[in-house]
Amino acid sequence: MTPFRAGLTALILTLLLDQASKLGLYFGTDLVLTQPWRLVPFVDFVVVWNRGVSYGLFQQEGGFGRWFLVILSLAAALGLGLWMRRAGSRLLAVALGLIVGGALGNAIDRAAYGAVFDFVHLHAGQWSWYVFNVADAAIVAGVIGLILDSLSPARRTEPGDKAQGAPARGDPAPRL
């Protein structure tokens, strides 16, 4: 599978899983009325409408802020999607696909409902983490993938790089 196809697969799966989980929990259950649902001692399902960005920062109450964040998400998804198209490794493409799928999933929520539906609440004792969703988790996983890809010692070259002084297979150093 090419890097782009792997990234596109990650994007589509992220978007589908994100939207299916949100729609299923919100419209297919009585979570809104019976929350919180304790899954395990440190994880609850709750309903939180996030009108801001990551971790609830920059809460937007008006229409301008809502649509600004939708447009910003779509612009970021487009830019990262173009990067994904040119990715030289599957790890990079999948990481970008996760981020784009998550950004699109949250943009859909924001456009449709004016806020992002978050539902996973992690906590332990007095410690409480932010409430998040599948899209948010995919974005975090994608960023971790970007970091890992940037630390990868594997050298990725484009087919035309050999003429520009890239080392040939077995060469110890680039030609100057």
Side-chain angles (χ1 to χ4, degrees):
M1 180 179 293
T2 65
F4 177 69
R5 283 186 177 236
L8 191 58
T9 300
L11 186 161
I12 291 167
L13 288 175
T14 297
L15 185 57
L16 290 175
L17 184 59
D18 176 63
Q19 289 298 298
S21 64
K22 291 171 180 174
L23 293 171
L25 281 171
Y26 192 73
F27 293 111
T29 71
D30 62 350
L31 177 62
V32 173
L33 301 173
T34 60
Q35 67 177 321
W37 288 1
R38 173 78 26 110
L39 301 180
V40 293
F42 55 91
V43 179
D44 293 342
F45 277 179
V46 297
V47 175
V48 173
W49 289 101
N50 182 357
R51 296 188 189 295
V53 294
S54 297
Y55 307 114
L57 298 172
F58 311 116
Q59 292 290 317
Q60 304 297 313
E61 294 301 325
F64 173 78
R66 167 190 182 182
W67 292 110
F68 175 75
L69 291 176
V70 169
I71 291 167
L72 185 64
S73 295
L74 295 176
L78 177 63
L80 294 172
L82 292 172
W83 184 12
M84 183 178 74
R85 181 78 175 122
R86 299 177 304 141
S89 76
R90 269 190 238 141
L91 174 59
L92 177 59
V94 168
L96 292 167
L98 290 170
I99 295 169
V100 172
L104 291 175
N106 283 342
I108 289 169
D109 282 13
R110 204 174 302 286
Y113 314 115
V116 174
F117 175 44
D118 291 331
F119 59 89
V120 179
H121 180 218
L122 298 179
H123 55 85
Q126 299 289 33
W127 177 81
S128 176
W129 188 247
Y130 298 97
V131 181
F132 61 96
N133 59 40
V134 172
D136 300 333
I139 291 168
V140 169
V143 169
I144 292 169
L146 289 179
I147 293 168
L148 292 174
D149 182 73
S150 74
L151 298 174
S152 173
R155 183 179 178 115
R156 290 175 292 282
T157 59
E158 297 295 323
D161 283 352
K162 195 170 198 172
Q164 298 172 1
R169 179 168 277 159
D171 282 354
R175 290 183 211 107
L176 300 176

